[in-house]
Amino acid sequence: MNVADLTHSGLKQWILDFAELTTPEEIVIADGSAAQYDELVAQQIAGGYCVPLNPEKRPGSIAYNSDPSDVARVENRTYIAAQNKEAAGPTNNWIDPVVLKETMTGLYRGCMKGRTLYVIPFSMGPVGSPIAKIGVELTDSAYVVINMMIMTRVGAKVLEVLGTDGEYVPCYHSVGKPLAGGESDNGQWPCAPIEQKYISHFPETREIWSYGSGYGGNALLGKKCLALRIASVLAHDEGWLAEHMLILKITSPEGKSKFVAGAFPSACGKTNLAMLVPTIPGWKVETVGDDIAWMKYGSDGQLYAINPEAGFFGVAPGTSNDSNYNAMVSASKNSIFTNCALTEDNDVWWEGIGYDAPGKLIDWHGNEWVQDKGNKEQKPAAHPNARFTAPAAQCPSIASEWEDPKGVPISAILFGGRRAHTVPLVHQSYDWNHGVFLGSIVGSEITAAALDLKVGTIRRDPFAMLPFCGYNMGDYFQHWINVGKAATDESKLPKIFYVNWFRKTEDGKWLWPGFGENSRVLKWVFEACDGTAKSVDTPIGIMPTADAIDLPEGVSEEDMRELLSVDVDGWLREVEDVRTNHYPKFGDHLPKELSSFLDQLEAKLKAA
Ligand code: GTP
Ligand code: SPV
Ligand code: MN
């Protein structure tokens, strides 16, 4: 397929204009075929950018090491370039769109010299479904093309749906490393220095311009840029929700199923919860999505969710057959690994894979690495944000409904984060608006999923959307309240919960075993949706009674009491922090309902 063959009225000229600016050697259209995928992979291997993995251990799979500076999202270089600053809000970086476009046009000029310009027509959501959104990404990275082919639906079928005048979100991407005549990357991961990286969104014109990074969330523009930042703006305007949420299906021993969505910040357990293998007999969990949910009301008044993605871009470290068997199988073939370690027989290895490093490894920097378990200071062999890219269809727990364009009806929404103290294992909101309050105050320890932030320190990450909301977050809170108001039948609204799998003991051990044992909490959530859960009212919300959740192995009754207690002093400190540091940021944009919930919480805690 050639650019000359494109029948869409504006698409061809748009591509040619960008090619004129960026001056690539050639233009290639991603047609979505297996043959083209294989050809690109072969070229990448020949160029020394990645290595093929052992076909007996991991068929059809390859491993990349990125540049050490290009391992995660760059929040400090991510912009919401709305026409005015207030529309971007206090939590987003802002540059005037005219100024930003001028700067970036300068960077794009000649930036694809010596490279190929790939055209990726992609669909977020099943191709042709009424809820799906089409994007076209122009990129000079073959890594981006093959990852997008796993993460989204790419190719000729998308162009067919686009027809001659269909709408698409235009997405520019370049690694930002033009090649001088005859120069080659020599197998090195191409990217630009941090101060030249820009991950930019123009919400009014629904455009995405990305420059200088090849890493997932910065470069696979269908994911965080389109399906969250731009989609959240569309959702706000059109009355639906675009969220950083997993979607799972849970079935009781009686054969009754419910769908649950959950928002946890980056690297805080969405993939793991979406794929969990329950430890409680008779219960079953299946996977609909592990990172993004789009939710709209159906004609029956229920909120329905779809997963707009087609693959998983999952955190590798900590993933093992014990912790996440379904992810391990998903990534057992036809997968791409980024910043994992390599074994001598060409398989990947990472910290927490469930077995010791077999012999000498090549770490993610490309250096020899031998495990030294006595040395607590040893640098990890895999980067903490090393990732696997795997087709969702390969997941053993994938739910039969996962591609249903109608979506799945959501009964419960979970919010959560990484909190060593204060926040209990689970509590439930009194109603929708109180749930919005809980979502708005979520705090979590910073993880390695974003660069330039201090790992381990707590920050507020409302709805796990702090890095992904494409407009003023105060207005986003109001939008959630409005969606609740728009319900035709309030009793059909999802129940809202706040969970925390990450409590620690004084000596730094996990108080709760997590992973498959989280099914015990899901069971209580399931019962709470049916009104059969054993619950008590507390100052912070509705909580399980002491005997409502069966104890997992290794958890004593005393541990459970701690997991389910209300830490009054800790919560008063939360209130204080929200009141002085968090809510004031939003000024007039903060819905009054939320400050009123904060006042009520404080009064209840003081009376307790
Ligand atoms: P993104 O893809 O960045 O949005 O992350 P995610 O929310 O999907 O996080 P993921 O499930 O990949 O988990 C990130 C890390 O948290 C991994 O190292 C997991 O092993 C660890 N983790 C997940 N669930 C649990 C849990 O229940 N308890 C504990 N202790 N760790 C967990
Ligand atoms: C996250 O950081 O939340 C991710 C990975 O899911 S990325 O695609 O890089 O955003
Ligand atoms: Mn994510």
Side-chain angles (χ1 to χ4, degrees):
M1 200 190 313
N2 287 310
V3 178
D5 305 328
L6 294 174
T7 52
H8 187 279
S9 55
L11 186 59
K12 184 166 41 180
Q13 199 52 48
W14 175 69
I15 296 166
L16 292 175
D17 288 348
F18 194 59
E20 192 179 309
L21 176 66
T22 56
T23 64
E25 299 299 302
E26 56 170 342
I27 304 178
V28 170
I29 299 182
D31 60 14
S33 68
Q36 196 184 42
Y37 182 93
D38 292 345
E39 192 187 317
L40 285 171
V41 166
Q43 283 171 14
Q44 288 283 286
I45 293 169
Y49 294 100
C50 62
V51 295
L53 295 178
N54 186 331
E56 275 165 23
K57 301 208 146 182
R58 240 171 259 271
S61 302
I62 50 178
Y64 282 81
N65 286 339
S66 79
D67 186 273
S69 71
D70 204 26
V71 294
R73 285 181 294 99
V74 282
E75 294 187 9
N76 301 337
R77 307 294 307 171
T78 299
Y79 297 91
I80 301 297
Q83 268 148 29
N84 70 69
K85 191 168 193 290
E86 191 158 340
T91 59
N92 284 312
N93 299 312
W94 180 84
I95 297 178
D96 181 281
V98 175
V99 174
L100 183 55
K101 283 193 170 177
E102 206 174 285
T103 306
M104 290 190 73
T105 301
L107 290 168
Y108 282 133
R109 187 162 293 122
C111 74
M112 295 191 181
K113 199 163 179 307
R115 300 189 185 276
T116 300
L117 164 53
Y118 299 98
V119 178
I120 315 174
F122 64 93
S123 176
M124 300 310 290
V127 181
S129 102
I131 199 170
K133 299 271 178 241
I134 289 176
V136 182
E137 177 165 355
L138 306 184
T139 180
D140 53 8
S141 163
Y143 172 86
V144 166
V145 179
I146 55 177
N147 274 274
M148 285 289 284
M149 285 177 74
I150 296 176
M151 294 305 298
T152 74
R153 286 105 173 153
V154 166
K157 280 213 192 91
V158 178
L159 290 174
E160 255 167 58
V161 172
L162 211 48
T164 53
D165 60 356
E167 265 187 48
Y168 62 92
V169 175
C171 310
Y172 292 154
H173 173 254
S174 171
V175 294
K177 200 164 192 308
L179 295 167
E183 192 191 351
S184 114
D185 289 319
N186 282 322
Q188 299 298 302
W189 172 279
C191 62
I194 184 85
E195 65 280 3
Q196 280 179 24
K197 288 181 176 32
Y198 287 91
I199 319 301
S200 307
H201 308 74
F202 303 93
E204 287 94 355
T205 50
R206 329 279 196 226
E207 290 170 284
I208 299 162
W209 290 23
S210 169
Y211 186 89
S213 168
Y215 169 78
N218 303 328
L220 312 178
L221 302 184
K223 195 172 175 56
K224 296 300 169 41
C225 300
L226 194 161
L228 289 179
R229 298 197 190 95
I230 295 293
S232 64
V233 175
L234 300 173
H236 175 262
D237 294 353
E238 298 167 5
W240 50 283
L241 297 166
E243 300 297 329
H244 191 204
M245 287 183 179
L246 69 99
I247 310 165
L248 65 80
K249 176 182 183 182
I250 177 166
T251 305
S252 70
E254 293 74 40
K256 209 165 136 189
S257 297
K258 292 188 198 300
F259 294 90
V260 178
F264 315 145
S266 301
C268 290
K270 291 181 300 300
T271 302
N272 279 271
L273 193 73
M275 297 181 191
L276 79 66
V277 178
T279 49
I280 36 176
W283 289 77
K284 186 167 160 190
V285 167
E286 291 161 279
T287 312
V288 177
D290 82 325
D291 198 49
I292 299 177
W294 287 351
M295 297 192 281
K296 289 183 188 175
Y297 283 111
S299 50
D300 58 358
Q302 289 269 347
L303 213 45
Y304 282 77
I306 73 148
N307 167 16
E309 303 193 277
F312 309 126
F313 186 61
V315 177
T319 309
S320 69
N321 280 334
D322 273 349
S323 67
N324 194 346
Y325 168 80
N326 291 312
M328 291 297 276
V329 177
S330 304
S332 64
K333 56 184 180 186
N334 308 321
S335 294
I336 302 170
F337 295 85
T338 307
N339 292 333
C340 300
L342 267 187
T343 65
E344 282 172 304
D345 61 352
N346 279 334
D347 197 7
V348 279
W349 188 88
W350 50 73
E351 280 67 24
I353 197 170
Y355 48 87
D356 288 344
K360 226 182 330 181
L361 304 184
I362 304 294
D363 71 9
W364 73 277
H365 285 288
N367 299 323
E368 271 192 15
W369 189 94
V370 178
Q371 193 165 25
D372 178 3
K373 292 211 280 187
N375 177 7
K376 291 260 176 320
E377 304 291 298
Q378 188 178 27
K379 292 251 166 67
H383 187 274
N385 191 42
R387 299 260 168 178
F388 57 83
T389 314
Q394 288 183 184
C395 182
S397 61
I398 202 78
S400 59
E401 300 88 343
W402 86 279
E403 295 193 279
D404 190 339
K406 195 162 98 273
V408 295
I410 299 297
S411 299
I413 292 174
L414 316 180
F415 295 120
R418 256 175 211 270
R419 293 297 298 268
H421 307 286
T422 311
V423 179
L425 183 60
V426 57
H427 62 293
Q428 184 186 349
S429 75
Y430 299 115
D431 58 16
W432 179 269
N433 280 358
H434 184 232
V436 174
F437 168 71
L438 296 184
S440 79
I441 65 166
V442 165
S444 190
E445 289 165 21
I446 289 171
T447 65
L451 215 67
D452 285 352
L453 302 170
K454 203 167 170 314
V455 172
T457 51
I458 294 171
R459 68 166 176 183
R460 299 283 153 207
D461 187 347
F463 296 74
M465 282 289 278
L466 181 72
F468 309 119
C469 182
Y471 60 101
N472 189 309
M473 192 144 237
D475 298 344
Y476 168 91
F477 297 157
Q478 184 63 53
H479 179 57
W480 264 80
I481 290 176
N482 294 348
V483 167
K485 276 197 200 121
T488 48
D489 178 351
E490 255 180 63
S491 72
K492 288 185 175 170
L493 278 172
K495 306 271 185 286
I496 300 179
F497 302 80
Y498 191 158
V499 300
N500 178 20
W501 318 136
F502 297 94
R503 284 290 287 267
K504 283 189 174 163
T505 59
E506 286 310 316
D507 53 357
K509 298 213 175 69
W510 297 120
L511 194 53
W512 175 252
F515 302 100
E517 300 292 6
N518 294 335
S519 57
R520 296 173 195 276
V521 176
L522 289 180
K523 173 174 178 274
W524 184 78
V525 164
F526 187 103
E527 291 162 354
C529 291
D530 279 345
T532 61
K534 289 192 189 173
S535 315
V536 284
D537 259 355
T538 79
I540 60 171
I542 304 161
M543 287 178 66
T545 56
D547 61 341
I549 295 177
D550 287 339
L551 298 184
E553 223 181 272
V555 177
S556 66
E557 272 176 37
E558 196 188 323
D559 293 338
M560 200 63 188
R561 262 198 303 279
E562 190 171 341
L563 283 160
L564 293 179
S565 67
V566 176
D567 172 359
V568 172
D569 292 339
W571 276 101
L572 282 169
R573 282 193 296 272
E574 286 290 292
V575 169
E576 177 62 18
D577 182 55
V578 170
R579 198 186 289 293
T580 52
N581 302 317
H582 181 46
Y583 276 179
K585 287 198 287 259
F586 304 104
D588 290 350
H589 293 266
L590 185 79
K592 54 182 180 334
E593 288 89 339
L594 299 187
S595 14
S596 143
F597 277 118
L598 190 64
D599 294 342
Q600 287 170 40
L601 174 58
E602 183 170 27
K604 285 186 192 171
L605 288 165
K606 286 192 166 150

